[in-house]
Amino acid sequence: MSGKEVIKLNRLSVGYGRKVLIGDIGLSIDEGEIVTLIGPNGAGKSTILKTIARQLEPVVGDVYIEGKPLSKLSFHELSETVSILLTERVDPELMTVRDVVEAGRYPYTGHMGMLQKRDEEVVEEALALCRITDISDRYFRELSDGQKQRVMLARTIAQEPKILVLDEPTSYMDIKYKLELLSLLKRLRDSRKMTILLSLHEFELAKVISDRIICVKDRDIIKVGTPEEILNRKVLCELYDISPENLEILLQSMESVV
């Protein structure tokens, strides 16, 4: 995909402290592109995403957002540009679903947190998009894990970012809501030209949603390409250390589901 470059990773090394987990990453991501990281647990997918969202500092190298060094963006600029949904569970005490989603408007409302008409409209739209309007008055802590995940997604959408970063967003969701999430992400890309980076366990979902796929294994990026280039038997066997026979059994079991 060619277009306006929104994210550039320039010889980026990610990790914790001074310890490099994955090094020398070079990648450009365009406006309106959906890029998915796949690979085994512990390979470093979350570390890459957290570094792009400035949850972690780069060990070496740089991240550029719309041509600006990520480190130079103010908190306000970053909040209006990048929104992130992590797998870590949150438990806001005595907050309703609506309260949590309204918190996504913080970059626009300031410290007083006073919502204007425009803010309220954005919150209502986010609630509707994630199909949680009917539970908007319930306390967040009373919800199921799948419902909580949808609420946190609505919060990130209410932030109206240009870049949406999602770490395992389908966690805790049943198949119905997984498919609805993928449809929603595509609509956000098409209607708002939103750039979306996410990690997924399910490579069959990555095939449906992605413009490009990044394969992460053994703390290294082993391949980048389109779903057609990546999601073939040879690459999947290498990525997940699966024998061709076992992969065939897995693929056949998936195809047998009606």
Side-chain angles (χ1 to χ4, degrees):
M1 178 177 290
S2 61
K4 176 185 175 183
E5 183 183 79
V6 175
I7 301 171
K8 182 177 181 179
L9 311 182
N10 183 30
R11 306 204 66 171
L12 178 69
S13 293
V14 302
Y16 296 86
R18 303 305 301 169
K19 184 178 180 181
V20 174
L21 188 64
I22 302 176
D24 201 24
I25 305 170
L27 188 69
S28 294
I29 299 172
D30 289 343
E31 180 182 60
E33 191 173 11
I34 299 178
V35 177
T36 305
L37 282 69
I38 64 172
N41 286 337
K45 302 186 298 294
S46 296
T47 308
I48 294 172
L49 294 178
K50 288 179 179 179
T51 304
I52 293 172
R54 211 166 78 181
Q55 299 281 315
L56 291 171
E57 291 292 326
V59 180
V60 179
D62 298 290
V63 177
Y64 292 90
I65 303 294
E66 296 186 315
K68 287 180 157 183
L70 181 63
S71 59
K72 301 297 184 183
L73 295 179
S74 68
F75 174 77
H76 184 78
E77 288 175 315
L78 181 65
S79 298
E80 288 189 343
T81 306
V82 181
S83 187
I84 183 168
L85 174 62
L86 300 175
T87 51
E88 285 87 345
R89 298 191 187 191
V90 296
D91 187 19
E93 189 173 2
L94 300 179
M95 291 182 71
T96 66
V97 168
R98 185 178 297 276
D99 293 334
V100 174
V101 178
E102 286 178 352
R105 298 303 296 166
Y106 176 79
Y108 308 95
T109 60
H111 295 291
M112 298 300 292
M114 299 295 293
L115 271 64
Q116 305 300 315
K117 182 179 179 181
R118 165 65 179 159
D119 301 307
E120 293 173 350
E121 290 172 348
V122 171
V123 168
E124 290 298 332
E125 182 181 10
L127 290 168
L129 284 170
C130 295
R131 298 182 182 270
I132 52 174
T133 303
D134 59 334
I135 61 171
S136 61
D137 293 327
R138 291 181 59 186
Y139 284 113
F140 181 83
R141 60 171 27 182
E142 296 175 351
L143 305 180
S144 69
D145 287 335
Q147 288 172 323
K148 288 179 178 178
Q149 192 78 341
R150 287 154 57 202
V151 173
M152 296 308 296
L153 177 61
R155 183 186 183 280
T156 63
I157 292 172
Q159 197 172 321
E160 292 190 299
K162 297 178 181 178
I163 300 167
L164 187 57
V165 179
L166 308 166
D167 188 17
E168 299 292 351
T170 57
S171 298
Y172 318 119
M173 288 184 176
D174 60 30
I175 187 63
K176 172 185 176 182
Y177 291 117
K178 286 181 180 182
L179 295 175
E180 284 188 358
L181 169 65
L182 299 188
S183 177
L184 171 58
L185 294 180
K186 284 185 174 181
R187 293 204 307 273
L188 291 171
R189 175 196 61 188
D190 296 339
S191 64
R192 304 185 185 184
K193 294 186 177 180
M194 192 178 290
T195 302
I196 300 170
L197 284 80
L198 70 158
S199 61
L200 288 173
H201 278 303
E202 307 98 325
F203 57 79
E204 68 275 16
L205 296 183
K207 181 178 182 180
V208 174
I209 188 67
S210 311
D211 295 308
R212 277 192 297 162
I213 293 175
I214 299 172
C215 296
V216 187
K217 179 190 177 185
D218 296 332
R219 302 183 176 184
D220 192 16
I221 292 176
I222 65 169
K223 195 170 182 65
V224 179
T226 65
E228 293 74 23
E229 293 168 334
I230 297 297
L231 298 177
N232 58 65
R233 285 165 171 75
K234 180 180 178 181
V235 175
L236 291 175
C237 285
E238 177 186 0
L239 181 61
Y240 292 102
D241 287 325
I242 304 174
S243 68
E245 294 77 15
N246 286 338
L247 178 63
E248 200 63 39
I249 292 171
L250 175 61
L251 293 174
Q252 287 177 3
S253 69
M254 289 164 52
E255 291 173 358
S256 67
V257 176
V258 179

